[in-house]
Every structure is written in C-alpha cells, then in structure tokens.
Amino acid sequence: MSSKLARLIKVAKGESAADLVLANTKVINVFTGEIETGNVAIYDGMIAGVGDYHQAKQMIDLEGKYLAPGLINGHSHIESSMLDIGQYARAVVPRGTLAVVSDLHEIANVSGLDGIRDILAAARRLPLELFLMAPSCVPATHLETSGASLDREALRQLLRWRGVVGLGEVMNYPGVISGNEHLLDKIALASGKVVDGHAPGVSGKDLTAYIAAGIYSDHESVSLGEAREKLRQGMHVMLREGSSEKNLQALLPLVTDKTYRRCFFVVDDRSCADLLKDGDIDAVVRKAISLGLDPVQAIRMATINTAEYFGLKNLGAIAPGYMANMIVISKLSCLEIDMVFHRGHLVAKQGEPLFALKQPSSKRPTGTINIKPFAVDALRLTASVETKPVIEVVPGQIITKKRLERVKVTGGVILADISRDILKLVVVERHKASGNIGLGLVMGFGLKKGALVSSISHDSHNIIAVGTSDEDIFRGIKEIERLRGGLAVVADGKVLGALPLPVGGLLSDEPAEVVASKLETLKALARDLGVKLPSPFATLSFLALPVIPQLRLTDLGLVDVNAFKLIE
C-alpha cells in the first residue's frame, strides 16, 4: 500500500507517468463552484492531480467537455427498481450514478440479513459504490406482519460490516418521540455514525424531540415550510424526486447560497422504467437545472454535499487523493453525459454500459410467498355502519388523506362504488401463512373494472390489491402466488398481464429492458381499465406503509398513522 501511495505522490508531482490523463477538459470544482481548465491525472483508480499533466500510459482528449464527480444517490431503495443489483447498475451507471446509499430494508423485511448479504456481495463486483445504512425498522412497526426481524444484536453486527456508514431511516417517528426504549437503544448503537430520519409532517416540539435523539436528516418534506423548519432545527434536507414522490419543485426555493450545503438530492424510490427513460440522480439534477438552479450548484448537491454528510471519504470531488469516479458532460445546461469513469476505468459511453455482469448467486431469496389458503368469501367487507373510513390517494405524493364516506352496500356487504371512485383495497399476509387479511377502501385510482395486484407493499411487502370486485382481486392474488411474487393486472376473471418478481417477491431475474417493458405494458393495461395515475403500482405499493400519514391498510387492518394505532 505504501508503495502505491508513494507512486501516487510521484505522479502528482509530475515525476512519474499516470495510468490515464483526461486532457483538455473543463473541471467542475465542487469546493469553490468554479470551472477550471486543465488535465486530470489518474493512478491506480485515484486522482493524482488536476492541472498540467501530460505523462501517461493512456491519454484521452475530452475536447473541452466538462468533467464532474460521479453522482451520488444519497437515499434510494434499490429494490423499488424491481431489478437485480447488476441490472440496476446497468441502468444507473451509464447515467452517472457511481455511488448509492441504501438501507436495503425492503429485502431485509422479507429475508433479513441473508437478503442484505446477497445484494452486497453482488454489488462488490460492479462499478458502483454501494454504502449500507443498517436498516433500523425491520419490521417498521408493530402494526403489520413482516417476513423478518433485525434485533439489537443483528444491528450491532451490521454496523460493524465493511461499507456500513450509519443507521437507516428511523421510520417509527412516533416511537422516537414517545421515548420507546427499544427504538432508542437501536439509535444508541449507531453512536458516532450517521442516523437518517423519516419525519413526514412532524413539526414543533415533536420535531425538536425527534432531532434531539440524534437524527439529522429527512427526505419526507412535501412543503417548503416543512423543509425550512427542519433545516432551521439542524437537519440536512434531502430533496426527493422519485416515481411517486414528486417534491423537488416545491422544495427547490429552499436552496440558496446560504443553505445549499445542508441540502442534497435523493430519489427514494424509482421504478426500472423511470430509471431507463428519465434516469436516476441525473434526472433530479436535470430537473433542478430546468427549474432555474445553477448547473454547478446542482452538481454540488448531487456529489460533495452527499459525500460530506455521510462521511464518504475520497468521494464527491475531482481533487488529489479522491477516487477517480467521474462523468464527462457534453452539455452542462441539460447534463448530457458522454462518458462515465469508475476508479479510472471507462465503464459507460453515450448511455451504454461497457461492463459485463457475473452470474447471480444461487442462494438468492426465492420461495418467499407463503399464503394460508382462503376462499374468495374471505375478501368480503361487511357493513355495520353507513359510513366508512376511506384512504384518499394524493397525486404525486405518498401521503394520503383520511376521509369518511357513505358506502355502497348490498346485502350487508360493501361493494366498490365505481361512480364515486371508491374501490376495494386488500392486504394479504404472505410471509408466515398467518391467514391475516386486511380489508379497506381507497379512492383516487380511477379504476373502472378489474384489479391491480402486487407483492411489493412497503415495508413489510405483503400482497396488496386494489379492485372493483372480490373475484378479480382473488384471481390476481392467486396469480401472484403462482409467480412466487410480482405484479398483475386482472379483469373479468382473466390475467391480462403480469411481471414475475421471484427474488423476495421484489426483484426480477430478467434484464432491465425486459422488466421495464413489462412494467410499461402493465401500466398501459391499467390505463385501459380507467386508471389515471402515472405510476399506479408505485402508488399502490405505499398504501400499506403505516409510517406515512394519514390512513393506511396493513394485513392487521386499517391504521390511523397520526394516532399510530389500528382503528378497526
């Protein structure tokens, strides 16, 4: 190691030849906000220097193009892409994402430590830095049934693993605020490391109490006022733009010359279709620029800001001693990425990956769909009163509204009321074959006939379905069981289309392009059935998440999130 360091120093001094020199480039200096002209010398995957360098085994003339640090996704649930980690890398690396921070708590809620190990092991063979935040909420709450549980000892082990930089989003914010001893013990285990937050709508003294526990970031702000309060209280604000969570435009005015160092970009959840079509963090940067943010400022918020918050040494800048993770940009105003370098090696060009994938492990978590047999009659929702709580979808957000609506009743059974867009919502426990079935109502999908069914439902990932009839919902659930996980669209008792997700009921084993194509087909089928939402399966996946206000449905029943309790 010392000999390599000595050689790096010689290259930096101009006394030895570099492995690679990127010549004639405009370097974006994220420390000063300046754009500098010069050459960049690289040795053994590290940047030796920026300036007058000409000795190299290989030289690439960038012809005046811009050179920026590789983008860093500061908070992403990789599993929401529905892609195997190798296919995920094929989708995001050519678009400039060279580092991702994730707690992998989706696969952890299904398969525990084994699921995390599988993804981390595969990631080490890819041109992508994957940093783990030990998942703090497996299960997320006591209000649902999860497939696994990570106790105090498991978290203690995880926090010692290589590449683990902190504790993942503490979703049970009511537990923190009320001083839940078990939860606070988890936070204490991460002392000295970063602890990510999750505090949707939390304000005032409750927010103060949450932050006092040592939680200094949040990605759940949906309004400028909410984000500003969190910033003033000392939090780092993650500006999120995912497939269903569209918060960038509302929050961007928060970013000023005085505040930008405390802000950075994340996607939280992005589908494979969106990754291939629009991109990852590059799409967020591009949109921020289109909304008026200075391009250099936007790049700083996608690189050095993120690296410094998480303590990612040697990442996020083009400077001596930093890792040679860089992107070549043809047009700065629209972040047109021409080439991508990972540790000094060209890994993508003009949007195409240049790296090969190795065979996935044979120990991947499959066979995770375990449903206790039931008949369609188990899906009947009976009426004891004339009005019932209804979950209202908020377009472009993952928060919901709680409504009390008069329901359509025939023979003592509540039916979907298509004319008022009140549909049946069902959650079926699929980990322990407990027989738990949660029944409820939802409005905002626009579905006129049939059902949408999925084994992706944050965070415990039980089977969730929305539909106009119990028969179509039942048919869809049986299809998901047959596929060992996935998505399905059903109408008139027939499966119109499906996307198998056999790995944990969350991930496909097919190429990214195939998965994205199948997902787009399902979205088109949903539109044909009347759905108005742009990402209906992404929206559906959050309706069972009992840590996002206001009303949710789990396998245990309806949850009033503000009161943090089951209401039926």
Side-chain angles (χ1 to χ4, degrees), residues 248 252 255 285-295 297-298 333:
L248 180 64
L252 200 56
V255 179
V285 172
R286 200 173 293 116
K287 183 171 181 177
I289 294 171
S290 73
L291 291 171
L293 188 63
D294 174 74
Q297 201 83 311
S333 60

Side-chain angles (χ1 to χ4, degrees), residues 11 18 62 239 272 316 320 383 453 543 565:
V11 174
L62 295 184
L239 282 72
C272 54
V453 190
L543 295 184
K565 66 179 183 180

Side-chain angles (χ1 to χ4, degrees), residues 326-567:
M326 299 172 290
I327 57 176
V328 179
I329 304 168
S330 301
K331 294 181 182 178
L332 193 58
S333 60
C334 59
L335 202 74
E336 185 178 291
I337 298 173
D338 183 44
M339 288 184 276
V340 180
F341 291 87
H342 176 260
R343 302 191 184 189
H345 296 283
L346 182 64
V347 293
K349 187 170 184 178
Q350 296 179 346
E352 294 298 323
L354 301 178
F355 55 93
L357 301 180
K358 295 186 178 180
Q359 191 69 22
S361 166
S362 60
K363 298 180 180 179
R364 309 166 89 195
T366 56
T368 61
I369 304 295
N370 301 298
I371 302 172
K372 184 176 181 179
F374 66 93
V376 67
D377 289 353
L379 303 180
R380 287 181 180 173
L381 182 59
T382 56
S384 56
V385 292
E386 292 184 347
T387 58
K388 295 283 285 185
V390 177
I391 300 170
E392 182 183 6
V393 170
V394 179
Q397 306 294 341
I398 57 173
I399 59 171
T400 64
K401 293 181 180 178
K402 177 183 176 182
R403 297 177 65 110
L404 198 63
E405 297 286 339
R406 186 179 295 273
V407 294
K408 181 179 179 180
V409 181
T410 300
V413 176
I414 298 174
L415 303 178
D417 190 343
I418 298 171
S419 65
R420 296 168 58 211
D421 192 25
I422 298 177
L423 306 175
K424 190 75 166 286
L425 189 66
V426 173
V427 177
V428 177
E429 193 277 319
R430 62 97 159 181
H431 302 290
K432 300 175 171 56
S434 66
N436 293 343
I437 300 177
L439 303 174
L441 299 167
V442 64
M443 60 194 309
F445 275 85
L447 191 66
K448 300 300 182 184
K449 65 183 295 187
L452 311 182
V453 190
S454 172
S455 58
I456 300 175
S457 60
H458 304 281
D459 278 330
S460 290
H461 299 291
N462 291 302
I463 293 177
I464 189 166
V466 59
T468 62
S469 74
D470 290 349
E471 290 73 20
D472 280 342
I473 290 173
F474 182 77
R475 179 69 183 88
I477 292 169
K478 298 303 289 184
E479 177 67 5
I480 299 302
E481 186 176 28
R482 184 186 73 82
L483 294 173
R484 299 185 300 163
L487 315 178
V489 177
V490 178
D492 299 322
K494 297 180 180 179
V495 177
L496 305 182
L499 168 56
L501 300 172
V503 182
L506 302 175
L507 308 176
S508 172
D509 53 8
E510 295 185 288
E513 294 81 1
V514 174
V515 183
S517 176
K518 288 183 178 180
L519 178 60
E520 289 299 300
T521 297
L522 293 184
K523 288 163 68 174
L525 289 170
R527 285 194 297 271
D528 291 343
L529 297 177
V531 173
K532 304 299 182 185
L533 298 170
S535 301
F537 283 98
T539 299
L540 180 64
S541 73
F542 285 104
L543 295 184
L545 181 56
V547 290
I548 301 284
Q550 294 175 329
L551 189 62
R552 303 283 150 162
L553 179 71
T554 74
D555 65 301
L556 300 181
L558 277 171
V559 178
D560 184 324
V561 180
N562 292 339
F564 209 55
K565 66 179 183 180
L566 294 164
I567 60 174

